Amino acid sequence: MFIRSASVQRLATIGRRTFVSSHQCPRHAAASSLVIPSTNNRGFNNSTNDEKRIASRTGNIEIHHRALSSSSTAKTPPTAPPAQQVNSFPSIVIGPNHALSPQGSFAEAQAAFLEPPKDVVESLLDQLIDQKVGVVAHYYMDVELQGVLHAIKRRQMELLHHQQLEEEDGGTGLNGASSSSGGTTRRIPSYPLVTICDSLKMGDDAVEMCSQSNVSSIICLGVDFMSESVSAIMSKNGYGHVPVYRATTKHIGCSLAESAEGDNYRAWLNKSAEGEKKSLHVVYINTSLETKAISSSIIPTITCTSSNVLSTILQASHQMGPKELQICYGPDTYMGDNLVSLLDAVIQSGWSDERIKADLHPSHDRSTIESLRDNINVYPSGNCVVHHMFGQSVVDT
């Protein structure tokens, strides 16, 4: 496995955590260190977070992360019960004058870290630009880290806007618009150096960071399969030479991905492949490269994510024939069941053929949607720990 092979790891010890290169890249070297100042005296004073360091090293580039919060927003610890015990959907309601009303404990934690210290944001942005480093993070990262990453992206876009205005006015685009350190001015990269998104878009954004912002390395904040996917997508798009760094040499597991790595999943695929109908395995991207490769050897397999799964199965059904094709969806049982429920709702609520063609897919109608619904085979034993935080009440909402 390219993530775990000792011959391809590039390590830098940082406190209790390290970042590891996904592959060899002898071209890469860095000239200076990248450090986030300590913010122990600001806002939350959490003993478990104050000494936490999330770090990366590219050559001798280091990112150190301590408790990042704002004294204006982090006043008291969240008091709401766990999300599965509340009736409201976990969310932040934005009211008049940008007043925030967090719903649920997770949303309260998010609101507490929406405005991290400005000096930390400026310092990190300066150093990311200096070292040509991009950061792709998954939505599941802790809210403290997400707060500072969002702020870095927001600040970069502000500076880029000022730079563009200056250039339109005939200026150099540097005065007051570019990040500076030690008296040196630099242009603001055109594509965000930080992104928080789903696992498929992490790879797409990494490619854009390479092509538009000329980064020389990518830090991937996520579980094992995410760094694998990011590296694979980059390689497919001609950036296989750009190293991808992950948080540790140790296994960073995902309960959902591991649901597809056992004998039960392979037995389900084999049984599906033996059926009379043509079968297509639509696998959630939140799985390892090994799972995808083994699945492809058993049954034709394509990959999807939450943002394109519906369009994927609609197009596959259209091309292969909704009555002739069995779509095997896994390992995310929740998502598979929700897909069946969605298609059933379309039929039961009386959508017309015209509405289906306009709002779902131009080549489908009530008859084909019904056939598609009846020919989806959902893996029954997928397990995702985070899903159980919310439960049926969120689906009902």
Side-chain angles (χ1 to χ4, degrees), residues 277-304:
K277 293 185 176 182
K278 295 178 292 187
S279 293
L280 175 68
H281 178 218
V282 179
V283 64
Y284 194 31
I285 192 172
N286 291 19
T287 49
S288 68
L289 291 180
E290 181 179 2
T291 291
K292 296 179 179 74
I294 292 175
S295 298
S296 294
S297 71
I298 299 172
I299 186 173
T301 297
I302 58 176
T303 301
C304 73

Side-chain angles (χ1 to χ4, degrees), residues 61-121:
I61 302 173
E62 293 186 357
I63 296 178
H64 300 300
H65 173 72
R66 291 175 181 268
L68 301 171
S69 59
S70 169
S71 58
S72 63
T73 56
K75 297 179 181 179
T76 58
T79 57
Q84 66 267 32
Q85 299 177 15
V86 300
N87 295 323
S88 60
F89 189 88
S91 57
I92 298 178
V93 178
I94 303 176
N97 301 318
H98 302 287
L100 301 181
S101 177
Q103 309 295 310
S105 59
F106 184 78
E108 287 190 351
Q110 283 185 308
F113 294 105
L114 286 178
E115 298 294 337
K118 292 182 179 180
D119 59 332
V120 171
V121 174

